[in-house]
Amino acid sequence: MAAVADGAGSCALGGQGAAIAVAAVVEAARCHSLSAWPVEEAGWKTLLSDILMRARDAVTKEAAARDRNPRDFSTTLIAVIATPDAIAAAQIGDGAAVASSEDRAAIEGLTLPILGEYLNETTFLTSPNAVETAQVRMLPQPAFGLALLSDGLQGVALKLPSGEPHAPFFLPLLRFAASSNPREGHAELAAFLGSDKISRKTDDDVTLVLAVSLR
């Protein structure tokens, strides 16, 4: 299970909304993992929609407890669950999730950035009908690797405007993740994301989650 959320910079508590949403997604997935995962696509869509609603409810509950408007906690949200038999992803807003094939030679987009009519406009978890209109996709196959990214990396990692993932960006990173010590790999990845090569191509904060199968 992996989740990425990017709080709206224009909202006072966007970062806190992102943290609350991710925690709610992971907790909901943990609770469900005590039972069997779905087999059919319809079951995955129901499960992921429920997980997104739990995240929205958690943000709304926090807003009520603090006497704030839920919009103050606006955040995007991406959630991915990988099992030995399937990959399922859901997304509200921009950013993207991708998966690599078991032969480690190809990359496929699971979700695409959802952009608004204007630059830097997107849908947030607390937007009207955000959960009901979220992207939800299931692939009935295992994956070698997964990557989830916030919109700050879209210009580097995706071919825009189509949103198709740029394989030369992802495949080396996933191979690196598979061969690295987690502690050292985390430091090297942070250095890469903070490098001039990346910062020259984006003025936004960047988040990248990499996950690989060790089978």
Side-chain angles (χ1 to χ4, degrees):
M1 174 70 212
V4 161
D6 185 14
S10 59
C11 296
L13 301 170
Q16 293 182 43
I20 293 167
V22 166
V25 164
V26 173
E27 180 60 26
R30 282 176 176 162
C31 290
H32 185 86
S33 67
L34 298 175
S35 60
W37 293 112
V39 176
E40 303 294 334
E41 183 174 7
W44 277 109
K45 287 185 176 181
T46 299
L47 171 61
L48 287 170
S49 293
D50 178 69
I51 287 175
L52 293 179
M53 285 190 286
R54 288 171 183 256
R56 181 182 62 188
D57 290 346
V59 171
T60 302
K61 182 178 179 180
E62 179 68 16
R66 299 172 63 171
D67 196 26
R68 300 293 295 256
N69 191 309
R71 288 194 297 262
D72 292 340
F73 295 82
S74 291
T75 180
T76 63
L77 182 59
I78 304 172
V80 178
I81 298 174
T83 75
D85 304 308
I87 317 160
Q91 178 166 322
I92 294 172
D94 47 25
V98 306
S100 70
S101 58
E102 283 197 288
D103 62 9
R104 312 183 186 189
I107 202 84
E108 180 171 359
L110 296 172
T111 62
L112 301 172
I114 298 298
L115 305 176
E117 182 179 356
Y118 303 103
L119 185 66
N120 295 326
E121 180 187 15
T122 190
T123 301
F124 296 112
L125 180 63
T126 50
S127 301
N129 300 316
V131 172
E132 293 76 9
T133 58
Q135 294 182 72
V136 179
R137 189 180 182 202
M138 175 263 194
L139 293 179
Q141 63 191 49
F144 160 67
L146 300 170
L148 288 70
L149 57 103
S150 64
D151 67 318
L153 284 173
Q154 287 175 182
V156 181
L158 305 178
K159 300 176 183 178
L160 299 176
S162 69
E164 179 186 352
H166 187 50
F169 176 84
F170 289 105
L171 291 177
L173 284 171
L174 290 170
R175 287 193 290 266
F176 160 78
S179 63
S180 299
N181 172 283
R183 185 182 299 274
E184 295 174 356
H186 177 83
E188 290 186 49
L189 181 60
F192 168 70
L193 294 177
S195 67
D196 289 341
K197 180 179 180 180
I198 298 298
S199 59
R200 283 198 302 267
K201 298 182 179 180
T202 180
D203 57 1
D204 201 352
D205 58 315
V206 296
T207 297
L208 177 64
V209 172
L210 301 175
V212 292
S213 170
L214 299 181
R215 290 183 300 165

